């Protein structure tokens, strides 16, 4: 044993990689990243993987600091009392501090037939499973995309641009996080691409069959390929390990991202629920929470009091095929403003941001501690002081 402090990061997504790299600031800290696959998944490009316009992966060798040890395995249980992890391979590894950054994935649709006949795309393996299915389907075959958040919109646009016959089922409002002006821009582009957008409560899917979808309003639509993008879930590792979580399964933490059950465990990214008020599941939040989780660990190692998190949003980027996009400006509290950039300029901003994310990860690997983040928004401070009813409403919106 070297006598170094052993820190393990579970999960090699945006938050996990940022955390692992930031931890290398101290030479007396040994950092291990445990991830189930040997390559980094660029999740914000998975809709492009489905369409065949990007592979959505990168090599960890280009993103991780040289001193970070990568272990390709899956953590099946956290023994908080013993500070040890059980791995799917059967190995057991100990730690002094743990960063819980397991990310998110497809949620259980809880709709009859969806698990059997619909294709989720929240994970690499899911997207790869769908791609040959689309390749095998005739170009004229009806494709249905369920869910009108950013992933659903991007997937529908990407496929329609390739000449596919696409229907987008909103189950409510198209792009609910967008300002009405940005939403109109998205709707206009989708119409130009030939996407049939069905919105309103009657478009909620009630059943999926092998070749059709049934809607709440009683309508049945033919669907050769049904793609499910409605909702995200998180792994149940924390709950299975006896750690307290929110209703969705995110690890409950305080404002320093420290588990409410154990100060040796911090959380970051989509799987964290600080003060029961989780941030929107997004790359934008993850690349801010990852380094701050690491700073909490480093503060504890140094015997200092960890700082509270500072997270702010700037905008929401949605690609609308390769030729257009929408950059919706947001307040720091993630509330849509009336301003947006659309068309080809929106597409260029989206692509610039997509390319910048791996660069940010690799920059943190080269210069740990250099990455900064946006100031905490005043709205969150107000919510932390508010009653549980107001907090619950915000938490539900984030879910």
């Amino acid at each position: 044993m070297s006598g170094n402090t052993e820190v393990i990061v579970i999960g090699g997504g945006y938050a996990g990689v940022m955390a692992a790299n930031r931890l290398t600031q101290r030479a007396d800290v040994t950092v291990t990243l445990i991830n189930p696959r040997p390559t980094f998944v660029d999740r914000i490009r998975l809709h492009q993987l489905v369409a065949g316009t990007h592979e959505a992966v990168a090599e960890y060798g280009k993103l991780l600091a040289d001193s970070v040890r990568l272990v390709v395995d899956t953590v099946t249980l956290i023994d908080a009392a013993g500070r040890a992890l059980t791995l799917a391979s059967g190995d057991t590894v100990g730690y002094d501090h743990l960063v819980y950054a397991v990310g998110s994935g497809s949620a259980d649709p809880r709709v009859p037939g969806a698990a059997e006949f619909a294709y989720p795309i929240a994970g690499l393996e899911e997207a790869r499973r769908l791609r040959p299915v689309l390749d095998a389907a005739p170009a004229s075959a009806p494709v249905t995309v369920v869910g009108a958040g950013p992933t659903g919109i991007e997937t529908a646009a990407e496929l329609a641009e390739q000449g596919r016959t696409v229907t987008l089922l909103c189950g409510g409002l198209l792009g609910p996080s967008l300002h009405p002006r940005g939403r109109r821009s998205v709707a206009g582009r989708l119409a130009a691409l030939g996407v049939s957008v069905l919105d309103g409560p009657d478009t909620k899917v009630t059943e999926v069959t092998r070749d059709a979808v049934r809607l709440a309003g009683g309508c049945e639509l033919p669907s050769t390929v049904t793609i499910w993008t409605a909702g995200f879930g998180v792994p149940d590792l924390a709950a299975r390990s006896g750690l307290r979580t929110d209703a969705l399964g995110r690890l409950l933490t305080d404002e320093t991202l420290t588990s409410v059950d154990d100060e040796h465990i911090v959380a970051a990214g989509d799987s964290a629920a600080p003060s029961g008020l989780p941030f929107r599941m997004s790359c934008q939040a993850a690349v801010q929470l990852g380094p701050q989780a690491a700073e909490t660990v480093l503060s504890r190692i140094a015997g200092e009091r960890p700082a509270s998190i500072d997270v702010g949003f700037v905008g929401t980027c949605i690609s609308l095929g390769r030729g257009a996009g929408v950059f919706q400006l947001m307040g720091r509290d993630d509330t849509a403003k009336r301003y947006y950039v659309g068309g080809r300029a929106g597409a260029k901003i989206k692509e610039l941001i997509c390319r910048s994310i791996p660069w940010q990860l690799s920059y943190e690997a080269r210069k740990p501690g250099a990455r900064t983040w946006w100031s905490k928004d005043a709205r969150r401070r107000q919510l932390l002081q508010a009653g549980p009813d107001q907090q619950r409403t915000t938490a539900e919106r984030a879910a």
Side-chain angles (χ1 to χ4, degrees):
M1 294 295 290
S2 64
N4 282 6
T5 300
E6 299 282 342
V7 183
I8 292 181
V9 180
I10 308 176
Y14 302 112
V17 171
M18 287 295 281
N21 287 336
R22 177 62 63 99
L23 286 163
T24 63
Q25 288 182 95
R26 288 185 63 122
D28 60 348
V29 171
T30 300
V31 184
T32 301
L33 178 69
I34 301 177
N35 193 64
R37 59 184 68 83
T39 53
F40 173 81
V41 179
D42 202 356
R43 283 188 57 184
I44 57 177
R45 290 192 184 273
L46 284 177
H47 65 285
Q48 289 185 251
L49 170 59
V50 168
T53 58
H54 201 282
E55 290 304 312
V57 294
E59 297 299 321
Y60 276 118
K62 298 179 180 179
L63 305 179
L64 283 175
D66 292 340
S67 60
V68 175
R69 175 179 173 237
L70 175 65
V71 173
V72 181
D73 211 328
T74 300
V75 178
T76 58
L77 191 69
I78 301 169
D79 176 7
R83 294 189 206 167
L85 306 174
T86 301
L87 308 182
S89 62
D91 291 342
T92 300
V93 293
Y95 64 85
D96 295 307
H97 295 272
L98 180 68
V99 179
Y100 186 82
V102 297
S104 61
S106 300
D108 181 357
R110 298 183 181 179
V111 171
E116 294 84 0
F117 303 115
Y119 293 86
I121 59 169
L124 178 65
E125 290 75 18
E126 293 170 335
R128 283 178 170 171
R129 182 170 68 97
L130 172 58
R131 186 166 166 180
V133 173
L134 283 167
D135 289 343
S140 60
V143 176
T144 303
V145 179
V146 181
T151 303
I153 292 171
E154 291 183 325
T155 303
E158 201 81 25
L159 295 177
E161 191 175 60
Q162 296 182 345
R164 294 279 179 183
T165 303
V166 182
T167 298
L168 179 62
L169 297 178
C170 302
L173 196 63
L174 172 68
S177 65
L178 300 175
H179 187 277
R181 296 179 74 234
R183 186 175 300 118
R184 285 194 293 271
S185 179
V186 169
R189 173 62 177 173
L190 291 175
L193 289 172
V195 178
S196 177
V197 178
L198 303 183
D199 59 3
D202 286 348
T203 64
K204 185 175 182 180
V205 176
T206 57
E207 186 180 2
V208 180
T209 67
R210 188 178 301 278
D211 54 10
V213 292
R214 297 190 177 98
L215 309 183
C219 181
E220 180 174 314
L221 302 176
S223 181
T224 300
V225 182
T226 301
I227 304 172
W228 199 274
T229 72
F232 291 91
V234 299
D236 65 350
L237 175 60
R240 280 191 287 110
S241 301
L243 298 168
R244 278 180 283 180
T245 66
D246 68 1
L248 196 64
R250 292 170 287 212
L251 186 68
L252 286 175
T253 75
D254 62 15
E255 283 294 285
T256 71
L257 298 175
T258 303
S259 166
V260 296
D261 296 310
D262 190 326
E263 69 173 14
H264 295 276
I265 300 175
V266 301
D270 292 354
S271 53
S275 303
L277 294 170
F279 297 96
R280 170 166 56 92
M281 291 183 177
S282 62
C283 171
Q284 191 170 175
V287 296
Q288 298 179 71
L289 292 170
Q292 293 184 76
E295 290 291 350
T296 291
V297 173
L298 293 172
S299 294
R300 287 219 160 82
I301 293 172
E304 300 171 353
R305 182 176 180 179
S308 296
I309 48 175
D310 291 330
V311 173
F313 290 83
V314 179
T316 295
C317 277
I318 300 177
S319 66
L320 297 168
R322 296 298 86 207
V326 165
F327 176 65
Q328 169 72 69
L329 289 171
M330 312 292 281
R332 289 181 177 178
D333 64 351
D334 204 24
T335 301
K337 295 181 176 291
R338 67 188 304 270
Y339 304 106
Y340 73 93
V341 179
R344 186 167 295 277
K348 289 183 177 180
I349 293 174
K350 166 72 174 183
E351 182 61 23
L352 177 64
I353 290 175
C354 286
R355 291 184 180 183
S356 76
I357 300 302
W359 179 87
Q360 290 182 55
L361 301 181
S362 62
Y363 186 77
E364 184 71 32
R366 299 190 305 272
K367 297 185 177 181
R371 177 75 169 90
T372 58
W373 45 81
W374 300 95
S375 299
K376 185 191 296 184
D377 64 271
R379 173 65 172 165
R380 183 171 181 85
R381 289 196 294 270
Q382 294 169 6
L383 288 169
L384 290 170
Q385 299 169 359
D389 290 341
Q390 189 177 9
Q391 290 186 2
R392 189 178 304 113
T393 299
T394 300
E396 289 171 351
R397 185 186 69 178

